[in-house]
Amino acid sequence: MVDLLAVAALVIAAVALVLAAAQLTQQLLATSYVLRKCDRIVTGGLVEGGKREWRWRQFRFTVKYQAIMFALPDSVYASLGVTPTVHVSSVTGTGRVARAMNDASATLHERAKRLISNRRVSEQAGWVTMVQDIAATDSLPLSYCLRQESGDRIPEDLTVAPIRVDALTILLTGLAMEMQVFRYSPTMGEVSLTGPLGSISSSIHPVLGGLTHYSAFRDGTAISKDVGKENGIALCGKGGVWANAVFGRFKDRSVRHDFVPANDLILRYQEKLQRAGWPQNSFTDTIGGAACFLSFAHVDVYRSGAPSAVRPWCAHFAEFIVATHHEDIIKYGIRKSDAALDLNSEFILRRNEWTELYGCSSPYIGWEEMCGLELTLPLLDHIESSNLLVPPSLIQCLQAQFPLSLESPEFFHETDPSTYVRSHVGWEVTMRADQCVSYIAGSHPDIAKFANIAMTKAVCSLAEVGPPSWRTEAYRETVTKWPTIIDQACSEHLDVSNEHYRLLHSCTQLSLLRAAYFTIMMRASQDLGSGLTESSSIETALLYMA
């Protein structure tokens, strides 16, 4: 009897062992399917592959994998007035924790750049490919980290493990990668961008909601590293000037110190144009485009133009003003060495410090406090010098295309103004004009006020001019009349003394050139796409990327 009980116990124990082994095998097989969704093939070697962890209380295996979390600096979201759905804590300083996080970020960045040269496989996750392409253009967002995720949360119908992404971060990062927006409705889970590197598409998942995917068009980068790096720096600028320009928001410090929608600025300047005599039946450039042009004389400018929702409002006659400036440079034969004498090394150094601190140029910079009186006082003696707004890089550009003539329209093309004005040239002219206008506004505030009125009056004569490439009759007539038009607009202020008329005339010209070059910078940027317009609201939402 005892032997039978022992045998029965042994059989029961053996059956239990077989069942436990079967359950363990089933768990291993089940986790193998999940593990395949986040192994080193899926992650491309950028992060560690998934790992099994044994749960004693649940008597089963679970899978953990590393996901990349990336976000822009908090100041960018703050300037846009939104709170990101994916937040990455940024640590500054020289402590042990800060150094460890910075080292980890640098290691991930370099690893992504190195792996971009390896052949990609079809099983690689889209978010891994996107991080590689961002790293290759040196425009990787400044704040990112690794996060442990559970394989239990990977839906059955997905073939790769997803990561959490912020819709606004995806949008702005894609724009920095030279993409165009064709659909952006984050609360509905719809995001669609396409560019030379790849495309981002979206769908609605029954469990996750908005699900995006990045598809690369090629293994190597399709945009230059200089462009990618410059866009990345602009995107993460502390002031948020570049990011706000995408949505058509600008900081006009003459009104208030926060960002204002372009529509509000346009409405304000439309009233001034109507009072100044803007023709009611204009069709070459609308009054809205002219009002946008006037507002560009008073807003902060970043050193690289952003693809903006207000690009359709950029006036075509801005190219005419720039073209006449180029004609004057060639006519007077200004040499590169002469242009280099205007700005000394101290000015360049302090100006760069301002740019790094605030991320923009502004006509309301306190130049005399920033640069010292020894740099601003001599401006009165040289403010009408032709070489004041002629940076060496502009002369070099014109010499390469010499002889440049307004009668040769092949040099000018309204679809791509950057063919004759590069972004860094527009930035240089803007900075020089800002210094002079700011000095006049500080020493003679009435002159600056009259200059705004004169500029509005002069712009009213450019309604039917258009860009040089259009070769309209109004364009040819205005070429010879333009200096007289500015003189007449300034001479209407009879209460300005003769000794101050020179300042009024110079301030008007400087403001016109400032607005024209900034308009060229905005038009030279790539088209934003149909997914964002000036009426689009700034919103974000939590999405997933697989």
Side-chain angles (χ1 to χ4, degrees):
M1 188 65 179
V2 177
D3 293 339
L4 291 176
L5 291 176
V7 170
L10 181 61
V11 171
I12 293 173
V15 171
L17 179 62
V18 171
L19 292 176
Q23 184 178 0
L24 182 61
T25 303
Q26 186 270 336
Q27 288 291 323
L28 285 173
L29 293 176
T31 55
S32 295
Y33 177 66
V34 176
L35 195 64
R36 190 174 60 184
K37 298 180 180 182
C38 54
D39 59 12
R40 290 186 64 84
I41 297 178
V42 172
T43 62
L46 185 59
V47 295
E48 295 180 359
K51 295 181 179 180
R52 292 187 181 91
E53 291 185 359
W54 176 253
R55 299 290 185 181
W56 281 103
R57 292 186 178 181
Q58 301 176 4
F59 199 72
R60 69 185 185 93
F61 285 102
T62 60
V63 175
K64 296 290 184 180
Y65 68 94
Q66 286 185 333
I68 298 178
M69 310 285 286
F70 57 88
L72 301 173
D74 294 339
S75 58
V76 176
Y77 302 108
S79 68
L80 292 168
V82 298
T83 301
T85 57
V86 175
H87 181 75
V88 177
S89 299
S90 57
V91 179
T92 59
T94 58
R96 181 171 57 85
V97 176
R99 288 197 302 271
M101 293 187 66
N102 292 333
D103 292 343
S105 299
T107 301
L108 179 61
H109 180 79
E110 293 301 323
R111 186 185 304 160
K113 290 176 64 176
R114 184 176 67 255
L115 292 175
I116 189 67
S117 59
N118 296 343
R119 185 172 181 177
R120 292 168 175 166
V121 294
S122 58
E123 293 86 356
Q124 182 171 297
W127 52 269
V128 175
T129 305
M130 182 175 180
V131 171
Q132 289 177 340
D133 284 346
I134 295 174
T137 58
D138 283 332
S139 57
L140 190 69
L142 295 182
S143 301
Y144 55 94
C145 65
L146 299 178
R147 179 190 178 105
Q148 291 288 339
E149 295 285 1
S150 173
D152 294 342
R153 297 181 179 180
I154 303 177
E156 291 289 334
D157 56 346
L158 292 186
T159 58
V160 298
I163 65 169
R164 304 176 190 181
V165 293
D166 180 76
L168 187 59
T169 304
I170 292 295
L171 171 72
L172 294 176
T173 305
L175 291 174
M177 298 168 66
E178 300 285 295
M179 290 186 175
Q180 294 183 4
V181 186
F182 294 98
R183 190 168 66 251
Y184 184 70
S185 180
T187 55
M188 301 297 295
E190 297 180 348
V191 177
S192 177
L193 299 94
T194 302
L197 285 174
S199 66
I200 298 176
S201 57
S202 65
S203 61
I204 304 300
H205 192 271
V207 177
L208 300 178
L211 180 64
T212 61
H213 180 73
Y214 177 78
S215 300
F217 293 158
R218 61 186 72 193
D219 289 338
T221 178
I223 61 176
S224 66
K225 289 187 177 181
D226 292 339
V227 172
K229 185 175 182 179
E230 183 65 26
N231 289 345
I233 296 174
L235 170 61
C236 299
K238 295 181 180 179
V241 176
W242 194 91
N244 275 272
V246 170
F247 291 92
R249 287 158 45 95
F250 301 91
K251 184 177 291 185
D252 186 345
R253 298 186 181 181
S254 64
V255 182
R256 51 187 174 180
H257 290 280
D258 54 354
F259 289 97
V260 181
N263 287 337
D264 295 349
L265 298 176
I266 289 174
L267 290 175
R268 182 160 63 92
Y269 285 102
Q270 277 183 352
E271 298 176 359
K272 296 181 179 181
L273 284 166
Q274 291 172 348
R275 292 194 299 266
W278 180 270
Q280 296 296 325
N281 58 345
S282 63
F283 62 90
T284 300
D285 271 307
T286 64
I287 189 173
C292 183
F293 175 87
L294 292 176
S295 69
F296 283 169
H298 302 279
V299 299
D300 289 356
V301 181
Y302 195 77
R303 57 190 173 192
S304 63
S308 176
V310 302
R311 188 175 189 267
W313 289 101
C314 291
H316 295 91
F317 62 73
E319 297 176 33
F320 160 79
I321 298 176
V322 174
T324 55
H325 183 220
H326 291 181
E327 190 80 354
D328 289 339
I329 295 173
I330 296 175
K331 182 190 304 181
Y332 294 114
I334 300 175
R335 298 172 300 178
K336 183 176 180 180
S337 57
D338 295 334
L341 296 176
D342 292 324
L343 304 178
N344 59 29
S345 58
E346 183 181 359
F347 173 80
I348 295 294
L349 177 62
R350 303 221 180 153
R351 189 186 66 180
N352 290 339
E353 290 176 354
W354 174 275
T355 304
E356 294 301 325
L357 182 61
Y358 296 100
C360 67
S361 162
S362 172
Y364 304 98
I365 293 176
W367 290 100
E368 62 277 5
E369 287 83 8
M370 190 187 84
C371 302
L373 292 177
E374 69 278 3
L375 292 179
T376 51
L377 287 178
L379 282 177
L380 284 177
D381 297 330
H382 304 287
I383 204 161
E384 285 191 336
S385 300
S386 299
N387 61 346
L388 188 62
L389 293 181
V390 186
S393 54
L394 178 54
I395 295 179
Q396 187 175 6
C397 176
L398 295 179
Q399 287 175 343
Q401 299 177 353
F402 191 86
L404 182 65
S405 173
L406 298 180
E407 300 301 325
S408 301
E410 63 269 14
F411 288 108
F412 304 93
H413 199 280
E414 82 278 357
T415 60
D416 186 15
S418 64
T419 55
Y420 61 98
V421 178
R422 304 301 177 189
S423 183
H424 70 277
V425 172
W427 164 255
E428 181 70 31
V429 174
T430 297
M431 292 296 292
R432 295 181 179 214
D434 282 352
Q435 184 195 16
C436 302
V437 172
S438 178
Y439 181 80
I440 296 175
S443 57
H444 302 82
D446 292 338
I447 297 297
K449 181 181 68 174
F450 292 147
N452 291 332
I453 300 174
M455 183 175 64
T456 304
K457 190 69 176 179
V459 164
C460 288
S461 63
L462 303 179
E464 305 302 332
V465 170
S469 59
W470 288 5
R471 314 306 300 156
T472 62
E473 182 178 353
Y475 183 92
R476 290 190 292 268
E477 294 177 356
T478 313
V479 167
T480 56
K481 294 181 180 179
W482 182 236
T484 305
I485 291 174
I486 298 179
D487 291 338
Q488 291 177 348
C490 295
S491 62
E492 292 185 5
H493 301 282
L494 300 178
D495 50 346
V496 177
S497 61
N498 292 333
E499 61 185 58
H500 289 161
Y501 178 81
R502 180 172 61 90
L503 289 177
L504 172 61
H505 191 275
S506 298
C507 191
T508 303
Q509 285 187 312
L510 290 168
S511 299
L512 284 167
L513 283 174
R514 203 265 188 190
Y517 273 92
F518 181 35
T519 302
I520 293 297
M521 290 173 63
M522 299 298 289
R523 282 182 51 78
S525 303
Q526 78 271 21
D527 192 3
L528 183 63
S530 58
L532 286 180
T533 64
E534 65 273 10
S535 60
S536 299
S537 59
I538 303 177
E539 57 182 356
T540 188
L542 177 65
L543 302 177
Y544 287 84
M545 177 173 285

